[in-house]
Amino acid sequence: MRNPRIMLLTLFTMLVSGLNFPIGKMALEFGSPFLLLSIRFIAAGLLMLPFILKRPHPRKAAEWAKIAVTGLLQSALVMAGVYLSMKTIPSGSSSILSSTNPIWFIIFSFLLYRVRYRIVQWAGVLIGFFGVAVAQGFHVQLESGFWYAIGAGMAWGLATLLISRWGKAYDTWVMAAYQMLIGGVFLLATSPFVEQPHFLWDPDHLGKELFVFGWMILMSSIAQFISWYYVLMNSDPGKANVYLFLIPLFGLSSGWIILGEPLHAYVLAGALCTGIGIYLVNKPGPVSSGRAAASEGLSDPGKRKCPAG
């Protein structure tokens, strides 16, 4: 990346993605996960609507169905897993576990579409999972938060795979806005069945709550999506996605600075291994596939990938 603007926007997106974890954990102090996320995504989607009304929209039911599927995965399941995980594990650990999405991307690509990857990329998968084990102190924590975060990484990887295959048929901004709206409506509808919905305005901490909600809607949803899509449309997606390994590092450091979460040596080592694994998975190079249709969309693992929100 030789363009200073692209580099700045890339680093901005990674920083915002890392900060989303401790700020999201702060939000859990005054609301239930599904209700908080539904407010975030519906508000962000509605704010984007005036800017996309004149852009090309899907016309067929099948096209809307694809947006709905990716919205449920990307906006609903990924973020629900992240927020639920932070109820029982530190935000830094959640950032490491959920950021394994590029690893799940190539696993799902191989299983569903028989895409063939190079040895170095499979090595990245193994190193990435080794990093997850190291970050947990070589003890797989059976706490629900561990599995929620891993599930978020899996849903994120699958969403990325589907977007890489379907996304070219859509206007990027239209797809992003409706993904958030659909995901938000789904979270709002399911909230009464999976949690005790609650939201508390605390007059003593009103400034903190307004900041958290402003961040979630304006920064985590709108600014982050716009910046990242601009990077992907104006640079090499393969090279841009290499920077995703910064998300768990920013997540760990911001959790330490903002929330005072401990930085254990094994957690840092695990984050480093996971980052190396993600780098190897995204390492540019030829990919062969038995299906010509997969060659373009999957040659850069994680093409049109969205950072963790």
Side-chain angles (χ1 to χ4, degrees), residues 162-187:
L162 296 180
I163 292 172
S164 71
R165 296 182 64 84
W166 298 342
K168 289 186 177 181
Y170 301 92
D171 178 274
T172 301
W173 310 108
V174 170
M175 191 175 194
Y178 285 113
Q179 275 185 4
M180 288 191 287
L181 280 173
I182 292 171
V185 171
F186 173 81
L187 289 165

Side-chain angles (χ1 to χ4, degrees), residues 102 118 121 237-239 241-245 277-285 300-303 305:
R118 293 168 294 123
Q121 291 173 301
K239 294 180 179 179
N241 285 326
V242 170
Y243 288 85
L244 287 169
F245 78 91
I278 292 172
Y279 171 79
L280 293 177
V281 164
N282 284 295
K283 189 174 177 60
D300 291 314
K303 190 174 183 181
K305 185 182 301 177

